[in-house]
Amino acid sequence: MIKDQSIQEKKSINTYELENIDIWIVKDNWLMWNNGVRNKLWLENYSYNSLLEKSAFKRSEQAKEKWNISHKRNIWDSYYDYNKINNWFKENWIDCENISRITHSESIWWWIYNCSDWECSDELSESIRETFDFYMSEKWKANNAHYRALTQKYFTNIWLWISVKNMQNNSYK
């Protein structure tokens, strides 16, 4: 849970300029899938948060530039350096409460999808659904960090940011 949510917007304006995509269709699907799981577990619904959007935007753009996504902030960092990620959030004005030693999580991915239509929102949503299903498949596994993040009772805010890179022949990453 982010401290002092009263000063933060729950949903921002559509700052995306992705050709052929209505990003709010994709974002609404992501929120619906997450909250569908949370509702079955009697957990509070997630809502979007504009500060998380800004943070996710920066991380996504960095990944697009590097052509790679990782939790690492620097190449020499350990894979998931909690303190570095925590500092990243603080540098981006995100101050998370520490409840029972639980503060925040970061889930990342990359995927390739194809679309030759004039409107690609459904294709992008289907691609992202595969990632969501992967996160859900972790439920009974020893390493289930993504599943735990989606179902963490103390978490109430999320954001989804997507940077799309046109590869070629109607393929996008």
Side-chain angles (χ1 to χ4, degrees):
M1 179 176 290
I2 298 175
K3 293 180 184 176
D4 197 10
Q5 293 182 49
S6 61
I7 63 169
Q8 300 167 23
E9 302 169 36
K10 294 294 182 183
K11 197 171 185 179
S12 74
I13 60 170
N14 186 354
T15 54
Y16 284 86
E17 293 181 18
L18 300 177
E19 191 176 320
N20 304 8
I21 295 170
D22 180 342
I23 198 62
W24 284 108
I25 290 173
V26 178
K27 287 182 179 183
D28 288 345
N29 283 335
W30 183 256
L31 192 61
M32 177 185 65
W33 300 328
N34 277 272
N35 286 336
V37 170
R38 294 179 68 80
N39 287 330
K40 289 178 185 173
L41 298 172
W42 298 89
L43 298 171
E44 182 179 345
N45 278 344
Y46 276 132
S47 61
Y48 283 131
N49 176 286
S50 63
L51 291 177
L52 290 176
E53 174 188 22
K54 292 172 186 168
S55 172
F57 167 74
K58 284 182 182 179
R59 290 293 296 145
S60 191
E61 289 299 306
Q62 286 176 352
K64 190 163 111 176
E65 281 179 30
K66 294 178 184 175
W67 204 236
N68 181 35
I69 184 82
S70 170
H71 293 291
K72 292 180 177 189
R73 292 327 193 244
N74 296 304
I75 195 163
W76 55 86
D77 291 346
S78 61
Y79 181 69
Y80 196 98
D81 186 323
Y82 173 84
N83 290 327
K84 288 249 178 154
I85 294 171
N86 198 47
N87 287 339
W88 167 272
F89 284 132
K90 287 182 185 233
E91 288 167 5
N92 287 282
W93 303 95
I94 300 166
D95 189 14
C96 299
E97 287 184 59
N98 185 330
I99 304 171
S100 301
R101 296 185 47 174
I102 298 168
T103 51
H104 54 70
S105 182
E106 176 183 73
S107 296
I108 58 176
W109 77 92
W110 67 269
W111 208 261
I112 295 174
Y113 71 98
N114 296 301
C115 179
S116 57
D117 300 340
W118 61 272
E119 212 293 322
C120 297
S121 304
D122 291 339
E123 290 83 352
L124 180 56
S125 283
E126 288 171 18
S127 175
I128 291 170
R129 179 61 197 223
E130 290 182 42
T131 300
F132 178 81
D133 291 343
F134 171 77
Y135 290 169
M136 294 305 298
S137 74
E138 294 179 346
K139 182 176 183 176
W140 303 110
K141 295 180 180 174
N143 185 3
N144 61 1
H146 300 106
Y147 177 80
R148 283 184 291 118
L150 293 176
T151 60
Q152 175 50 252
K153 68 180 178 179
Y154 300 126
F155 294 168
T156 57
N157 300 116
I158 62 170
W159 196 262
L160 171 72
W161 190 276
I162 302 161
S163 288
V164 175
K165 191 159 195 163
N166 188 343
M167 294 168 58
Q168 59 185 358
N169 301 326
N170 301 318
S171 288
Y172 303 87
K173 180 176 183 180

